[in-house]
Amino acid sequence: WIFRRFDLLLNAGEIAAVVGENGEGKTTLVKLLCRFYDPEKGRITVDGADIRDLRMSEWRRQITVLFQEPVRYHVTASENIAHGAHASGPGSEEIEMAARAAGAHDLIRRLPDGYETVLGRWFGGAELSAGEWQRLALARAFLRRAKLIILDEPTSLLDAWAEAKWFDRFRSLAAGCTVLIISHRLSMTMRADVIHVMGDGRIVESGTHADLLTLGGRYREAWNTSNAAIR
């Protein structure tokens, strides 16, 4: 069993973060929401409807997911981003807007042929750092314009300054969407509308950053530990 007595409500239009130690099932939760597999017991509902009763293709059109280690497509920078909404054939303005939102525009502009630069070494293209590939994947996720956005450690390769700027842009871009962020970095999850803390296979604490610090439970312990490490 990964989850026991697990109960989580995501409200429409809110940015929710899920935090917890390794092995608590955070990535498993993401995979269940994607329907890579279904729960043996219990159910996941959207507006009261079990997602197993929805067409798989229709459900997946409503969500966009960025995993911790995104795919590196060895095509042009523009095509890398466009894969997020390939069926709709996004134009250059939409692609650039997504890149700017993800903080990828400036790095793309510095490439030899800008957005038309082939990336990756397979075909002799430009190689990016791990953090730059992650920004490109963020742009791809933004372009999809889904109702539910799921991000698994979206800023794990960004520094603290880039992370803060990214979250400010993201909040503006994701207005009206429901967002679930999985992360170990409390410096980012503290900015969410609500934080859910996982432990022992269930949600053990929920609230804002201030609420959870006042509560004095697992979240506060983790926060104090992270700050002590910085000092």
Side-chain angles (χ1 to χ4, degrees):
W1 290 99
I2 299 296
F3 301 129
R4 292 181 183 275
R5 305 186 309 280
F6 184 87
D7 188 12
L8 173 65
L9 174 66
L10 299 179
N11 294 311
E14 104 181 336
I15 297 179
V18 171
V19 301
E21 297 181 14
N22 289 331
E24 291 288 0
K26 299 185 299 298
T27 297
T28 297
L29 174 61
V30 174
K31 292 178 180 179
L32 285 168
L33 289 171
C34 293
R35 286 204 66 196
F36 290 165
Y37 42 77
D38 291 321
E40 294 182 6
K41 292 184 178 181
R43 61 187 189 138
I44 301 170
T45 64
V46 180
D47 293 336
D50 193 314
I51 63 172
R52 288 172 291 195
D53 295 332
L54 306 176
R55 289 184 180 180
M56 185 84 76
S57 58
E58 178 60 29
W59 169 239
R60 288 183 176 168
R61 274 195 292 269
Q62 305 302 316
I63 65 176
T64 187
V65 184
L66 175 64
F67 288 99
Q68 189 170 352
E69 296 186 9
V71 175
R72 302 180 180 190
Y73 295 106
H74 290 224
V75 294
T76 68
S78 178
E79 289 170 327
N80 256 281
I81 298 172
H83 280 327
H86 193 269
S88 63
S92 58
E93 290 185 1
E94 293 175 281
I95 291 171
E96 182 176 325
M97 182 184 70
R100 287 181 181 276
H105 175 70
D106 288 342
L107 75 88
I108 294 173
R109 191 175 56 180
R110 291 193 297 267
L111 295 172
D113 297 310
Y115 281 82
E116 298 311 308
T117 302
V118 174
L119 303 179
R121 296 176 179 172
W122 288 359
F123 306 109
E127 187 55 86
L128 303 180
S129 69
E132 289 170 338
W133 278 112
Q134 190 174 46
R135 292 190 189 201
L136 212 66
L138 282 169
R140 190 160 58 239
F142 289 160
L143 187 66
R144 192 169 173 82
R145 298 180 182 277
K147 294 180 179 179
L148 173 61
I149 301 173
I150 304 171
L151 306 176
D152 188 359
E153 298 287 0
T155 60
S156 60
L157 300 175
L158 302 183
D159 58 47
W161 292 273
E163 180 183 73
K165 292 179 180 178
W166 172 82
F167 197 92
D168 289 340
R169 289 191 300 264
F170 174 72
R171 180 175 284 281
S172 176
L173 189 74
C177 298
T178 303
V179 180
L180 175 62
I181 299 175
I182 308 292
S183 182
H184 288 92
R185 298 179 67 160
L186 303 186
S187 59
M188 184 185 67
T189 57
M190 64 177 288
R191 297 179 170 89
D193 299 326
V194 61
I195 303 166
H196 303 285
V197 182
M198 288 187 66
D200 304 320
R202 58 193 178 91
I203 300 297
V204 295
E205 298 172 3
S206 294
T208 65
H209 173 72
D211 291 338
L212 294 177
L213 289 183
T214 301
L215 185 64
R218 289 196 182 197
Y219 182 85
R220 180 172 177 174
E221 180 182 354
W223 177 259
N224 290 341
T225 300
S226 64
N227 284 341
I230 293 173
R231 290 194 295 269

PDB file of all heavy atoms in Angstrom, residues 130-145:
ATOM      1  N   ALA A 130      21.207  21.192 -17.837  1.00  0.00           N
ATOM      2  CA  ALA A 130      20.004  20.532 -17.315  1.00  0.00           C
ATOM      3  C   ALA A 130      18.942  21.557 -16.948  1.00  0.00           C
ATOM      4  O   ALA A 130      17.746  21.370 -17.214  1.00  0.00           O
ATOM      5  CB  ALA A 130      20.364  19.678 -16.100  1.00  0.00           C
ATOM      6  N   GLY A 131      19.361  22.675 -16.331  1.00  0.00           N
ATOM      7  CA  GLY A 131      18.408  23.719 -15.960  1.00  0.00           C
ATOM      8  C   GLY A 131      17.764  24.385 -17.165  1.00  0.00           C
ATOM      9  O   GLY A 131      16.585  24.736 -17.136  1.00  0.00           O
ATOM     10  N   GLU A 132      18.540  24.543 -18.260  1.00  0.00           N
ATOM     11  CA  GLU A 132      17.998  25.149 -19.484  1.00  0.00           C
ATOM     12  C   GLU A 132      17.000  24.214 -20.162  1.00  0.00           C
ATOM     13  O   GLU A 132      15.956  24.660 -20.669  1.00  0.00           O
ATOM     14  CB  GLU A 132      19.141  25.512 -20.419  1.00  0.00           C
ATOM     15  CG  GLU A 132      19.962  26.694 -19.925  1.00  0.00           C
ATOM     16  CD  GLU A 132      21.228  26.914 -20.723  1.00  0.00           C
ATOM     17  OE1 GLU A 132      21.716  25.955 -21.377  1.00  0.00           O
ATOM     18  OE2 GLU A 132      21.744  28.044 -20.713  1.00  0.00           O
ATOM     19  N   TRP A 133      17.288  22.912 -20.158  1.00  0.00           N
ATOM     20  CA  TRP A 133      16.314  21.953 -20.691  1.00  0.00           C
ATOM     21  C   TRP A 133      15.018  22.004 -19.884  1.00  0.00           C
ATOM     22  O   TRP A 133      13.915  21.887 -20.427  1.00  0.00           O
ATOM     23  CB  TRP A 133      16.888  20.535 -20.649  1.00  0.00           C
ATOM     24  CG  TRP A 133      17.792  20.164 -21.784  1.00  0.00           C
ATOM     25  CD1 TRP A 133      19.135  19.919 -21.730  1.00  0.00           C
ATOM     26  CD2 TRP A 133      17.413  19.953 -23.155  1.00  0.00           C
ATOM     27  NE1 TRP A 133      19.608  19.582 -22.980  1.00  0.00           N
ATOM     28  CE2 TRP A 133      18.574  19.592 -23.868  1.00  0.00           C
ATOM     29  CE3 TRP A 133      16.202  20.045 -23.848  1.00  0.00           C
ATOM     30  CZ2 TRP A 133      18.572  19.318 -25.239  1.00  0.00           C
ATOM     31  CZ3 TRP A 133      16.187  19.772 -25.212  1.00  0.00           C
ATOM     32  CH2 TRP A 133      17.356  19.417 -25.896  1.00  0.00           C
ATOM     33  N   GLN A 134      15.149  22.182 -18.566  1.00  0.00           N
ATOM     34  CA  GLN A 134      13.964  22.235 -17.717  1.00  0.00           C
ATOM     35  C   GLN A 134      13.115  23.463 -18.044  1.00  0.00           C
ATOM     36  O   GLN A 134      11.888  23.385 -18.075  1.00  0.00           O
ATOM     37  CB  GLN A 134      14.368  22.247 -16.248  1.00  0.00           C
ATOM     38  CG  GLN A 134      13.182  22.065 -15.300  1.00  0.00           C
ATOM     39  CD  GLN A 134      13.613  21.939 -13.856  1.00  0.00           C
ATOM     40  OE1 GLN A 134      14.434  22.709 -13.372  1.00  0.00           O
ATOM     41  NE2 GLN A 134      13.083  20.948 -13.150  1.00  0.00           N
ATOM     42  N   ARG A 135      13.761  24.602 -18.314  1.00  0.00           N
ATOM     43  CA  ARG A 135      13.006  25.803 -18.679  1.00  0.00           C
ATOM     44  C   ARG A 135      12.268  25.599 -19.995  1.00  0.00           C
ATOM     45  O   ARG A 135      11.142  26.061 -20.172  1.00  0.00           O
ATOM     46  CB  ARG A 135      13.954  27.000 -18.789  1.00  0.00           C
ATOM     47  CG  ARG A 135      14.550  27.427 -17.471  1.00  0.00           C
ATOM     48  CD  ARG A 135      15.263  28.748 -17.599  1.00  0.00           C
ATOM     49  NE  ARG A 135      16.021  29.071 -16.405  1.00  0.00           N
ATOM     50  CZ  ARG A 135      16.405  30.286 -16.086  1.00  0.00           C
ATOM     51  NH1 ARG A 135      16.118  31.297 -16.866  1.00  0.00           N
ATOM     52  NH2 ARG A 135      17.106  30.502 -14.989  1.00  0.00           N
ATOM     53  N   LEU A 136      12.911  24.905 -20.915  1.00  0.00           N
ATOM     54  CA  LEU A 136      12.266  24.633 -22.201  1.00  0.00           C
ATOM     55  C   LEU A 136      11.036  23.747 -21.997  1.00  0.00           C
ATOM     56  O   LEU A 136       9.986  23.960 -22.624  1.00  0.00           O
ATOM     57  CB  LEU A 136      13.270  23.943 -23.132  1.00  0.00           C
ATOM     58  CG  LEU A 136      13.124  24.234 -24.625  1.00  0.00           C
ATOM     59  CD1 LEU A 136      13.429  25.699 -24.909  1.00  0.00           C
ATOM     60  CD2 LEU A 136      14.065  23.347 -25.432  1.00  0.00           C
ATOM     61  N   ALA A 137      11.158  22.769 -21.110  1.00  0.00           N
ATOM     62  CA  ALA A 137      10.022  21.892 -20.806  1.00  0.00           C
ATOM     63  C   ALA A 137       8.901  22.664 -20.126  1.00  0.00           C
ATOM     64  O   ALA A 137       7.713  22.396 -20.363  1.00  0.00           O
ATOM     65  CB  ALA A 137      10.480  20.731 -19.939  1.00  0.00           C
ATOM     66  N   LEU A 138       9.240  23.630 -19.289  1.00  0.00           N
ATOM     67  CA  LEU A 138       8.227  24.473 -18.660  1.00  0.00           C
ATOM     68  C   LEU A 138       7.461  25.254 -19.717  1.00  0.00           C
ATOM     69  O   LEU A 138       6.229  25.372 -19.652  1.00  0.00           O
ATOM     70  CB  LEU A 138       8.885  25.443 -17.676  1.00  0.00           C
ATOM     71  CG  LEU A 138       9.302  24.879 -16.318  1.00  0.00           C
ATOM     72  CD1 LEU A 138      10.179  25.883 -15.578  1.00  0.00           C
ATOM     73  CD2 LEU A 138       8.092  24.532 -15.480  1.00  0.00           C
ATOM     74  N   ALA A 139       8.176  25.779 -20.694  1.00  0.00           N
ATOM     75  CA  ALA A 139       7.518  26.509 -21.785  1.00  0.00           C
ATOM     76  C   ALA A 139       6.563  25.590 -22.537  1.00  0.00           C
ATOM     77  O   ALA A 139       5.451  25.987 -22.912  1.00  0.00           O
ATOM     78  CB  ALA A 139       8.570  27.080 -22.740  1.00  0.00           C
ATOM     79  N   ARG A 140       6.975  24.370 -22.759  1.00  0.00           N
ATOM     80  CA  ARG A 140       6.132  23.385 -23.450  1.00  0.00           C
ATOM     81  C   ARG A 140       4.857  23.127 -22.656  1.00  0.00           C
ATOM     82  O   ARG A 140       3.761  23.016 -23.217  1.00  0.00           O
ATOM     83  CB  ARG A 140       6.931  22.099 -23.637  1.00  0.00           C
ATOM     84  CG  ARG A 140       6.297  21.080 -24.535  1.00  0.00           C
ATOM     85  CD  ARG A 140       7.312  20.078 -25.057  1.00  0.00           C
ATOM     86  NE  ARG A 140       8.011  19.365 -24.012  1.00  0.00           N
ATOM     87  CZ  ARG A 140       9.337  19.368 -23.852  1.00  0.00           C
ATOM     88  NH1 ARG A 140      10.109  20.071 -24.658  1.00  0.00           N
ATOM     89  NH2 ARG A 140       9.889  18.675 -22.874  1.00  0.00           N
ATOM     90  N   ALA A 141       5.001  23.037 -21.335  1.00  0.00           N
ATOM     91  CA  ALA A 141       3.833  22.806 -20.478  1.00  0.00           C
ATOM     92  C   ALA A 141       2.897  24.010 -20.490  1.00  0.00           C
ATOM     93  O   ALA A 141       1.672  23.867 -20.533  1.00  0.00           O
ATOM     94  CB  ALA A 141       4.292  22.502 -19.053  1.00  0.00           C
ATOM     95  N   PHE A 142       3.448  25.216 -20.467  1.00  0.00           N
ATOM     96  CA  PHE A 142       2.627  26.425 -20.474  1.00  0.00           C
ATOM     97  C   PHE A 142       1.815  26.542 -21.762  1.00  0.00           C
ATOM     98  O   PHE A 142       0.673  26.993 -21.753  1.00  0.00           O
ATOM     99  CB  PHE A 142       3.506  27.664 -20.339  1.00  0.00           C
ATOM    100  CG  PHE A 142       4.117  27.837 -18.977  1.00  0.00           C
ATOM    101  CD1 PHE A 142       5.236  28.633 -18.804  1.00  0.00           C
ATOM    102  CD2 PHE A 142       3.592  27.210 -17.863  1.00  0.00           C
ATOM    103  CE1 PHE A 142       5.810  28.804 -17.560  1.00  0.00           C
ATOM    104  CE2 PHE A 142       4.150  27.367 -16.609  1.00  0.00           C
ATOM    105  CZ  PHE A 142       5.258  28.168 -16.462  1.00  0.00           C
ATOM    106  N   LEU A 143       2.421  26.158 -22.870  1.00  0.00           N
ATOM    107  CA  LEU A 143       1.769  26.316 -24.170  1.00  0.00           C
ATOM    108  C   LEU A 143       0.493  25.495 -24.279  1.00  0.00           C
ATOM    109  O   LEU A 143      -0.427  25.853 -25.015  1.00  0.00           O
ATOM    110  CB  LEU A 143       2.747  25.923 -25.280  1.00  0.00           C
ATOM    111  CG  LEU A 143       2.306  26.189 -26.715  1.00  0.00           C
ATOM    112  CD1 LEU A 143       2.183  27.697 -26.974  1.00  0.00           C
ATOM    113  CD2 LEU A 143       3.289  25.574 -27.703  1.00  0.00           C
ATOM    114  N   ARG A 144       0.411  24.434 -23.525  1.00  0.00           N
ATOM    115  CA  ARG A 144      -0.728  23.505 -23.637  1.00  0.00           C
ATOM    116  C   ARG A 144      -2.046  24.117 -23.180  1.00  0.00           C
ATOM    117  O   ARG A 144      -3.112  23.717 -23.623  1.00  0.00           O
ATOM    118  CB  ARG A 144      -0.421  22.248 -22.824  1.00  0.00           C
ATOM    119  CG  ARG A 144      -1.368  21.102 -23.082  1.00  0.00           C
ATOM    120  CD  ARG A 144      -0.823  19.841 -22.438  1.00  0.00           C
ATOM    121  NE  ARG A 144      -1.760  18.741 -22.514  1.00  0.00           N
ATOM    122  CZ  ARG A 144      -1.917  17.960 -23.567  1.00  0.00           C
ATOM    123  NH1 ARG A 144      -1.200  18.182 -24.648  1.00  0.00           N
ATOM    124  NH2 ARG A 144      -2.790  16.971 -23.545  1.00  0.00           N
ATOM    125  N   ARG A 145      -1.999  25.087 -22.255  1.00  0.00           N
ATOM    126  CA  ARG A 145      -3.199  25.782 -21.788  1.00  0.00           C
ATOM    127  C   ARG A 145      -4.270  24.805 -21.284  1.00  0.00           C
ATOM    128  O   ARG A 145      -5.439  24.869 -21.665  1.00  0.00           O
ATOM    129  CB  ARG A 145      -3.790  26.669 -22.893  1.00  0.00           C
ATOM    130  CG  ARG A 145      -2.849  27.767 -23.350  1.00  0.00           C
ATOM    131  CD  ARG A 145      -3.493  28.612 -24.429  1.00  0.00           C
ATOM    132  NE  ARG A 145      -2.588  29.633 -24.919  1.00  0.00           N
ATOM    133  CZ  ARG A 145      -2.390  30.811 -24.323  1.00  0.00           C
ATOM    134  NH1 ARG A 145      -3.038  31.089 -23.216  1.00  0.00           N
ATOM    135  NH2 ARG A 145      -1.549  31.689 -24.826  1.00  0.00           N
TER     136      ARG A 145
END
